[in-house]
Amino acid sequence: MVAIASCRTAKVSGSVTSVGGARVTRCHVSNGTTVTMRRSSSSSTRKDTRGRWSGMDAGNDASDDQQDISRGREMVDSLFQGGQGMGGTHNAILSSQDYLSTAQRNFNNIEDGFYISPSFLDKISIHVAKNFLDLPKIKIPLILGIWGGKGQGKTFQCNLAYKKLGIAPIVMSAGELESGNAGEPAKLIRQRYREASDIVKKGRMSSLFINDLDAGAGRMGDATQYTVNNQMVNATLMNIADNPTNVQLPGVYKNEEIPRVPVVCTGNDFSTLYAPLIRDGRMEKYYWNPTREDRVGVCMGIFQHDNVDRDDVERLVDAFPGQSIDFFGALRARVYDDKVREWIQGTGVENIGKRLINSREGKVEFDKPVMVLNTLMHYGNMLVEEQENVKRVQLADEYMSGASLAGSSGSSLPETFKAK
């Protein structure tokens, strides 16, 4: 290119020829010298040999389907393209991250040393094994329903059991069982079940794990609205339980057999669910009521880094017999209040934001508090007192007549007004 530019600027004679597939430019300058530049045309030759349709080749295709959909807009009449946003047929509504599943869980962050109830592990392991075994002429319930009181550690026990068994579960929550679009939760259940089935097809055990099924699909008294999605979730789970190897997505009707996947659900009260769903042929029910040994074992895992011996843990558990297991986790967190209060006083209330968020000094660290039995009993009694205040003071009942004060049985109005 320099040679051609010099030829044009100096207005001298020049020639362009092709030698052996290369482009050769010669410029004859007035002083008798000749400037020659050879440019290879191999790049253009490669481009021509690939062809104009090379993008359709699977080995060379680097396109993005969602971007191709966007490029198609305005190429046909708008009547066939719909509106903007998710309503149109030529609008990219997925990013590359949306193709990846966010439901699969692994439990590499769960440390060893936590307690697994032998009866809990026995129930899950038998249920999983029976669903993967080929037992002749036996109807195996696909769903295992684990229910019990609030805060008893059902979900965490399931996670520990999954890790022990080497299972990669596909997890759903109760919030995904309702949607503004009719039929969306039922479709999602089928998608998640097929996703777990694909994991089994690749040679690893998997399971569909639904947290708090009764909160998303149950009826909590007459005040709870029963929606179309509630009906479809119950009907979809019933259909999957009856046909676990033939689960199709909506609109797909080909008979394709997929691997069977066990389903595990947790909840607090399964009597709120649709009765045909929880019958014995579809759901095997397990009431989780931890024994004293289970409670002590779980609490030993909670306090394993605090040097609390077993005798103190047993006394603590016996001192609060009516409390759930998560009460002791909240108790351990409450013990740190004094350390945090001392740090706030030393840092200053107005400076804690700068120290906690994007600080150059790194994370805040302080010594662990000493957890002795007297300290744990003190904070445990404080938590129980707060629970009693919630149960004793029914502000919702007193709202129309006057605000009640915590610990008082009457109204907050003076006695003189009450007498009148």
Side-chain angles (χ1 to χ4, degrees), residues 54-173:
S54 60
M56 298 179 64
D57 186 1
N60 299 322
D61 185 18
S63 63
D64 186 338
D65 291 341
Q66 294 296 308
Q67 295 300 321
D68 293 342
I69 291 174
S70 295
R71 296 188 190 104
R73 174 164 284 282
E74 308 299 341
M75 290 188 178
V76 297
D77 192 275
S78 59
L79 177 65
F80 305 102
Q81 295 183 342
Q84 299 290 337
M86 297 182 64
T89 58
H90 283 70
N91 304 311
I93 60 174
L94 293 176
S95 66
S96 59
Q97 292 297 323
D98 292 325
Y99 293 106
L100 304 177
S101 172
T102 58
Q104 185 175 355
R105 296 289 188 271
N106 62 73
F107 303 107
N108 296 330
N109 60 330
I110 296 180
E111 301 177 6
D112 293 331
F114 289 107
Y115 174 85
I116 307 179
S117 171
S119 60
F120 200 101
L121 182 61
D122 176 75
K123 178 60 70 173
I124 287 189
S125 58
I126 289 179
H127 176 74
V128 170
K130 285 169 62 178
N131 274 275
F132 284 116
L133 286 173
D134 187 11
L135 301 177
K137 298 182 181 180
I138 294 180
K139 172 72 173 178
I140 306 297
L142 182 73
I143 306 173
L144 173 62
I146 302 173
W147 64 288
K150 63 184 187 307
Q152 298 290 7
K154 297 180 291 294
T155 300
F156 191 66
Q157 287 287 307
C158 286
N159 294 343
L160 293 175
Y162 278 142
K163 183 180 181 182
K164 190 80 171 179
L165 296 172
I167 295 177
I170 300 297
V171 181
M172 292 187 65
S173 66

Side-chain angles (χ1 to χ4, degrees), residues 36-312:
T36 303
M37 185 186 74
R38 179 185 295 265
R39 184 177 63 181
S40 174
S41 60
S42 59
S43 59
S44 61
T45 303
R46 272 198 313 272
K47 182 176 181 181
D48 294 339
T49 56
R50 289 189 301 177
R52 61 182 298 186
W53 305 111
S54 60
M56 298 179 64
D57 186 1
N60 299 322
D61 185 18
S63 63
D64 186 338
D65 291 341
Q66 294 296 308
Q67 295 300 321
D68 293 342
I69 291 174
S70 295
R71 296 188 190 104
R73 174 164 284 282
E74 308 299 341
M75 290 188 178
V76 297
D77 192 275
S78 59
L79 177 65
F80 305 102
Q81 295 183 342
Q84 299 290 337
M86 297 182 64
T89 58
H90 283 70
N91 304 311
I93 60 174
L94 293 176
S95 66
S96 59
Q97 292 297 323
D98 292 325
Y99 293 106
L100 304 177
S101 172
T102 58
Q104 185 175 355
R105 296 289 188 271
N106 62 73
F107 303 107
N108 296 330
N109 60 330
I110 296 180
E111 301 177 6
D112 293 331
F114 289 107
Y115 174 85
I116 307 179
S117 171
S119 60
F120 200 101
L121 182 61
D122 176 75
K123 178 60 70 173
I124 287 189
S125 58
I126 289 179
H127 176 74
V128 170
K130 285 169 62 178
N131 274 275
F132 284 116
L133 286 173
D134 187 11
L135 301 177
K137 298 182 181 180
I138 294 180
K139 172 72 173 178
I140 306 297
L142 182 73
I143 306 173
L144 173 62
I146 302 173
W147 64 288
K150 63 184 187 307
Q152 298 290 7
K154 297 180 291 294
T155 300
F156 191 66
Q157 287 287 307
C158 286
N159 294 343
L160 293 175
Y162 278 142
K163 183 180 181 182
K164 190 80 171 179
L165 296 172
I167 295 177
I170 300 297
V171 181
M172 292 187 65
S173 66
E176 295 176 293
L177 301 181
E178 186 55 83
S179 171
N181 300 324
E184 196 68 29
K187 178 182 177 182
L188 182 62
I189 291 176
R190 292 178 177 271
Q191 288 176 337
R192 296 284 171 83
Y193 184 88
R194 289 179 63 91
E195 188 176 345
S197 181
D198 289 339
I199 296 176
V200 175
K201 191 181 298 183
K202 294 176 182 178
R204 184 179 181 185
M205 285 201 303
S206 184
S207 169
L208 178 61
F209 182 45
I210 305 177
N211 279 310
D212 302 316
L213 177 62
D214 58 333
R219 297 199 68 178
M220 306 295 180
D222 297 334
T224 304
Q225 184 179 9
Y226 198 64
T227 65
V228 174
N229 282 327
N230 294 142
Q231 294 176 334
M232 296 188 69
V233 165
N234 285 302
T236 299
L237 288 174
M238 290 166 56
N239 178 256
I240 292 176
D242 292 338
N243 304 281
T245 60
N246 185 21
V247 179
Q248 307 296 338
L249 294 176
V252 180
Y253 303 105
K254 62 179 181 179
N255 191 3
E256 176 190 6
E257 186 169 338
I258 62 175
R260 180 186 180 112
V261 174
V263 180
V264 178
C265 304
T266 63
N268 297 119
D269 187 1
F270 280 175
S271 66
T272 62
L273 295 174
Y274 188 49
L277 172 63
I278 63 174
R279 68 174 176 84
D280 294 333
R282 293 186 174 119
M283 178 185 291
E284 183 177 0
K285 295 163 286 295
Y286 174 56
Y287 178 61
W288 167 239
N289 185 23
T291 63
R292 179 182 180 276
E293 185 65 26
D294 293 333
R295 291 161 59 86
V296 171
V298 173
C299 289
M300 285 297 296
I302 293 175
F303 295 103
Q304 62 179 328
H305 299 296
D306 302 312
N307 298 323
V308 182
D309 56 18
R310 186 177 181 87
D311 291 338
D312 289 344

